[in-house]
Amino acid sequence: MSDTVTTLSPAAEEDRASRGREQGAAVRPVRQRDAFFDNAKYLAIVLVAVGHAWEPLRPGSRAVTALYMFVYAFHMPAFIIVSGYFSRTFDGSPGRLKRLVTGVAVPYVVFETAYTLFTRWTSQDPDRPVSLLDPLYLTWFLAALFVWRLTTPLWRHVRRPLPTALVVAMLATLSPSIGHDLDLQRTLQFLPYFVFGLLLRPEHFRLVRRRTVRILAVPVAVLALGVAYWAVPRMNYAWFFHAASARELAAPFWYGPVMTLAAFGCSAVLVACFLAWVPGRRTWFTALGAGTLYGYLLHGFVAQAAKHWGWYEPAWVHRPVGAVAAALVAAVVVTALCTSPVRRVFRCVTEPGMAWAFGRANAVPQPGDARG
């Protein structure tokens, strides 16, 4: 969700690396970012915050629940696909392992501890222990990304990586005994999206941004929203959380594999619709795309505090105007949390350099890191 090094445009990255090989010299990435991916990350993190803001408003509102289901069908898949795309160069080298530790593992430890203490303070779970094996709230994504990225070299050598990853996800839905250590159930069920991202190339993103695709994306999204409204009383939207087995969702065992494939197909189509309408040019929010990890990890405290302090108790909040107001407030809050001043304050725990722990020979940055 955030980059500590400059993200190259994929085409620029490949071209510059090629020139460097021809010249026989090590070439450092130029300082330019791909506006398209920064825009996509910002818009996706806004949807994540809006989804969390709508969560307490679902009871009694079919419309809000339909919007919630619609958003959850593609916002995390979009993050994960982009994360997989930018993990293509991960090869387990010292520099990239260092980036994995400082950019993923350390924030996980810090925010898992912080969220546990915050949960105790708000009395949601006053006796909850600090456990790095049981991700709390938003931190599951960092734990999952750590596992996914470590396995990247393996997926690059598997003959049919996406079908294999889908089989792994389907088998996970049949295995309630997997447990909650590192939220492994969710890690395995979301794995196909990460592997799908590994397989993508720049031309695939150019394809979904064609005018024809952009036009088709509108009726497809409208249809999906209509289906979500229809499905509210007929379907358990928890399938889109990918966090539980079929048995835990009180469904027959064969639902798991079927819903895995159905959800993947639905999410992939909606991610394509979302990306089709992401601006490719620089906008007022492009720079905020570099700080989406901050927005992701910090907005959860605001979302939990809103419940603790009774912000959802007034009756008007549970009316249509309340849903709109909650969405606007969530968008403003997460936008503020992605800004440069916030990044400067929290960089020490979110993107620490940790030069004291690593030798200079290992300080090779990984271009194009996207944590969702």
Side-chain angles (χ1 to χ4, degrees):
M1 294 182 186
S2 159
D3 303 330
T4 55
V5 296
T6 301
T7 303
L8 288 171
S9 160
E13 178 185 334
E14 293 173 4
D15 179 64
R16 187 163 175 81
S18 176
R19 292 201 308 270
R21 286 191 296 269
E22 292 173 359
Q23 297 169 2
V27 180
R28 295 181 63 84
V30 294
R31 290 190 172 276
Q32 76 179 76
R33 299 182 64 94
D34 190 320
F36 170 74
F37 289 106
D38 278 339
N39 292 339
K41 288 189 290 181
Y42 168 75
L43 294 173
I45 196 61
V46 168
L47 290 176
V48 170
V50 169
H52 287 150
W54 281 339
E55 186 175 358
L57 303 179
R58 292 171 299 169
S61 175
R62 184 173 178 176
V64 171
T65 304
L67 288 168
Y68 181 85
M69 184 189 302
F70 175 74
V71 167
Y72 266 77
F74 72 91
H75 69 36
M76 284 311 299
F79 271 138
I80 296 167
I81 288 171
V82 171
S83 295
Y85 177 72
F86 281 117
S87 296
R88 294 171 302 153
T89 57
F90 184 85
D91 56 4
S93 63
R96 290 185 170 87
L97 285 174
K98 174 195 171 183
R99 182 71 184 89
L100 185 62
V101 170
T102 59
V104 179
V106 171
Y108 171 71
V109 172
V110 171
F111 281 90
E112 173 65 20
T113 303
Y115 271 111
T116 300
L117 297 178
F118 190 78
T119 299
R120 288 181 183 177
W121 177 69
T122 57
S123 298
Q124 297 177 47
D125 189 355
D127 299 320
R128 179 182 174 88
V130 176
S131 172
L132 299 181
L133 293 178
D134 186 12
L136 177 63
Y137 200 32
L138 303 170
T139 58
W140 72 267
F141 179 75
L142 294 179
L145 182 58
F146 188 87
V147 174
W148 293 331
R149 188 162 285 172
L150 276 180
T151 63
T152 294
L154 172 65
W155 295 111
R156 290 171 60 189
H157 289 89
V158 171
R159 178 166 295 182
R160 295 179 176 83
L162 184 56
T164 302
L166 283 168
V167 169
V168 171
M170 288 188 288
L171 291 176
T173 66
L174 302 177
S175 308
S177 60
I178 286 178
H180 299 285
D181 287 353
L182 292 180
D183 216 339
L184 191 57
Q185 184 70 251
R186 185 148 33 185
T187 299
L188 295 178
Q189 289 194 39
F190 271 119
L191 175 64
Y193 301 96
F194 182 81
V195 174
F196 184 47
L198 289 174
L199 301 176
L200 294 179
R201 296 293 179 265
E203 55 267 24
H204 296 129
F205 290 96
R206 289 194 291 269
L207 179 63
V208 299
R209 293 162 62 191
R210 295 174 60 181
R211 178 179 176 83
T212 303
V213 179
R214 294 182 67 188
I215 294 174
L216 289 175
V218 176
V220 170
V222 172
L223 176 62
L225 187 56
V227 170
Y229 187 84
W230 171 86
V232 168
R234 298 173 174 86
M235 172 186 165
N236 187 347
Y237 53 75
W239 286 107
F240 288 113
F241 298 164
H242 296 286
S245 67
R247 182 186 300 178
E248 291 169 317
L249 293 177
F253 77 95
W254 58 269
Y255 269 45
V258 171
M259 290 302 296
T260 296
L261 293 177
F264 181 81
C266 175
S267 296
V269 169
L270 290 178
V271 169
C273 293
F274 168 71
L275 293 176
W277 280 95
V278 170
R281 65 186 185 282
R282 291 194 62 83
T283 66
W284 66 267
F285 55 79
T286 299
L288 299 173
T292 48
L293 178 66
Y294 297 81
Y296 177 79
L297 291 174
L298 294 172
H299 88 274
F301 293 106
V302 181
Q304 289 193 339
K307 301 174 187 176
H308 175 65
W309 289 326
W311 295 357
Y312 289 94
E313 292 179 2
W316 70 268
V317 177
H318 295 268
R319 297 170 186 155
V321 66
V324 173
L328 291 175
V329 170
V332 170
V333 168
V334 78
T335 297
L337 294 175
C338 292
T339 57
S340 295
V342 175
R343 293 173 62 192
R344 284 195 294 269
V345 171
F346 290 97
R347 180 171 286 123
C348 59
V349 294
T350 306
E351 299 179 287
M354 295 184 65
W356 55 270
F358 299 93
R360 291 181 59 83
N362 297 334
V364 180
Q366 176 181 351
D369 174 29
R371 284 169 279 181

